Amino acid sequence: MLKKRATLRDLAKALNVSVTTVSRALNDKGDISPEMKRRVQEVAQLMEYKPNTVARSLRKSTFNKLIGLIIPQVDHYFYSTIVKGIINSAIMDDYLIITGESNHLPNKEREIIDNYTDHHVSGVIFIPSRDQASEANVRELQRRNIHVILVDRTFPDFNGSHIRYDDQYGGHLATTHLIEQGHTNIAIFRGDEKCSISNARYAGYLQALEEHNLSPDPSHVRICPTASKNEAYDECRELWTMKSPPTAVFTITDHLAAGIYAFAKHQQLDIPQDIAIVGYSNSEVSDILDPKLTSIAQDGLELGERAKSALQATMKDAKHREQVTMSTRIIVRESSVLHV
């Protein structure tokens, strides 16, 4: 059984004095005698008393050091690296982070926001879900005068701070790489059409094709709403029944690429000889797949650190705005070229 944490009331009872006396002694107030301060400190040490820093900051400051984080999936590689970057930065500045998982459900986001409001968070770092309804939840945070920083996703008319990667450039980079390897018949496995990130990466794919005078084949645009490995595998079964299947595929996540790997193994297709593949995120999957997966890299740690710093600046100055778009890069491995 966990040991109960000692409170001011416990100290007061042990000393047979008031809670106010204990509190003022611990805060070294002048109206408390040195002898009483000494006794209070001794009992506090004996009972392993630790002050409630959140409650104290609520009493003493216009803002406390409690930050709320809203994230779609805690077990998602890229999101988890963002969280690690936020936490690493927060610890250095003595901030406390509380985390809520939305599972890409806007109604769950609203529940988390209500909970954070009850806990008097000073700010929220928000990675919106793929559902466009998340925008209403961002507006709700602003309506409640809670500082908010958007990470990874944003909205067209959002005038607050946001930190994200250039997803259109990433899609362009991936597709251009495949074209430079000699491919003209390139498919894309994308996400839901309501997802802004999927749309941006698809726009980069179309941009690269247009720049090289290549026409997109509508049948080679495969929509995988949850961007899962199983969805990719199922789409492959249909795509490879066509007369002219693609020679290369760009997938907007590494997990989609893993589904194509599974299909290629089942059909005895060689990667990259029969089908070249480029994924996105440079997750742990990219280095585990055989052959290793070429992928578009995003530094989640840096994204998280910059998000926390931006929120901290906004908490100190409500007029502060940061709207940062970071550049991606491609990590070339064996899945897209015959000789790396």
Side-chain angles (χ1 to χ4, degrees):
M1 181 179 295
L2 291 175
K3 182 179 179 181
K4 181 184 174 183
R5 179 173 176 169
T7 66
L8 287 176
R9 191 175 300 277
D10 295 329
L11 268 63
K13 184 177 180 180
L15 290 158
N16 197 27
V17 297
S18 69
V19 172
T20 300
T21 297
V22 172
S23 176
R24 295 186 69 79
L26 289 172
N27 285 284
D28 199 25
K29 298 297 182 180
D31 58 341
I32 304 297
S33 69
E35 174 61 19
M36 176 56 70
K37 290 178 183 178
R38 183 189 63 77
R39 287 178 57 203
V40 170
Q41 290 290 347
E42 286 179 353
V43 172
Q45 185 175 4
L46 183 65
M47 298 180 69
E48 298 182 0
Y49 169 78
K50 300 293 182 183
N52 187 328
T53 56
V54 172
R56 178 181 291 181
S57 64
L58 279 170
R59 291 192 297 269
K60 291 186 174 182
S61 309
T62 56
F63 72 93
N64 61 71
K65 287 199 167 188
L66 183 62
I67 295 174
L69 172 61
I70 303 176
I71 181 173
Q73 292 174 258
V74 296
D75 58 350
H76 184 285
Y77 174 81
F78 182 53
Y79 296 150
S80 67
T81 59
I82 294 174
V83 172
K84 186 173 183 179
I86 293 169
I87 292 174
N88 287 347
S89 179
I91 289 174
M92 292 176 61
D93 294 322
D94 199 29
Y95 278 79
L96 178 66
I97 303 292
I98 55 176
T99 303
E101 183 181 33
S102 71
N103 293 310
H104 286 286
L105 299 173
N107 63 330
K108 183 64 175 177
E109 290 175 342
R110 180 58 66 91
E111 291 177 10
I112 295 169
I113 289 169
D114 290 341
N115 183 270
Y116 287 176
T117 301
D118 291 341
H119 282 79
H120 302 282
V121 297
S122 287
V124 171
I125 299 174
F126 193 172
I127 306 176
S129 74
R130 64 173 72 98
D131 194 311
Q132 290 178 333
S134 280
E135 184 171 3
N137 292 326
V138 175
R139 304 300 180 199
E140 180 62 18
L141 282 167
Q142 293 178 315
R143 189 189 69 78
R144 298 185 188 188
N145 294 317
I146 297 175
H147 302 296
V148 57
I149 304 294
L150 295 189
V151 179
D152 196 36
R153 292 182 175 91
T154 185
F155 306 101
D157 59 344
F158 179 70
N159 62 358
S161 293
H162 63 74
I163 314 288
R164 65 185 182 88
Y165 272 98
D166 190 338
D167 288 290
Q168 180 166 339
Y169 175 70
H172 179 273
L173 197 62
T175 310
T176 299
H177 169 73
L178 290 170
I179 293 171
E180 290 173 347
Q181 304 310 307
H183 297 282
T184 58
N185 191 1
I186 304 170
I188 180 172
F189 281 45
R190 55 161 299 170
D192 192 287
E193 292 172 313
K194 294 180 180 179
C195 176
S196 61
I197 289 178
S198 174
N199 290 339
R201 293 174 188 176
Y202 177 55
Y205 161 82
L206 294 176
Q207 179 188 0
L209 293 181
E210 182 179 359
E211 288 176 357
H212 291 83
N213 298 314
L214 297 174
S215 300
D217 184 341
S219 68
H220 288 176
V221 179
R222 316 305 295 188
I223 297 176
C224 304
T226 64
S228 70
K229 177 180 176 180
N230 290 339
E231 285 177 326
Y233 188 96
D234 291 341
E235 290 295 329
C236 284
R237 288 194 297 187
E238 181 178 343
L239 190 56
W240 262 264
T241 62
M242 297 178 180
K243 183 180 295 185
S244 298
T247 63
V249 180
F250 163 47
T251 65
I252 67 156
T253 72
D254 289 345
H255 282 88
L256 284 171
I260 300 175
Y261 270 70
F263 177 82
K265 181 178 181 180
H266 184 264
Q267 295 295 316
Q268 296 184 327
L269 296 173
D270 181 83
I271 302 172
Q273 184 70 50
D274 298 320
I275 181 71
I277 306 172
V278 176
Y280 208 108
S281 286
N282 194 40
S283 69
E284 78 285 4
V285 170
S286 62
D287 205 42
I288 295 172
L289 291 170
D290 184 22
K292 294 183 179 181
L293 175 66
T294 295
S295 188
I296 302 300
Q298 303 178 110
D299 190 338
L301 285 173
E302 182 181 0
L303 202 63
E305 290 169 358
R306 295 186 69 164
K308 182 266 171 183
S309 296
L311 180 60
Q312 184 177 4
T314 302
M315 288 161 61
K316 292 179 179 179
D317 178 6
K319 295 181 180 179
H320 180 83
R321 292 288 183 276
E322 288 186 39
Q323 296 188 339
V324 179
T325 301
M326 299 165 60
S327 184
T328 56
R329 60 192 178 94
I330 189 167
I331 307 296
V332 178
R333 299 189 180 93
E334 293 91 343
S335 71
S336 63
V337 293
L338 292 175
H339 302 287
V340 178

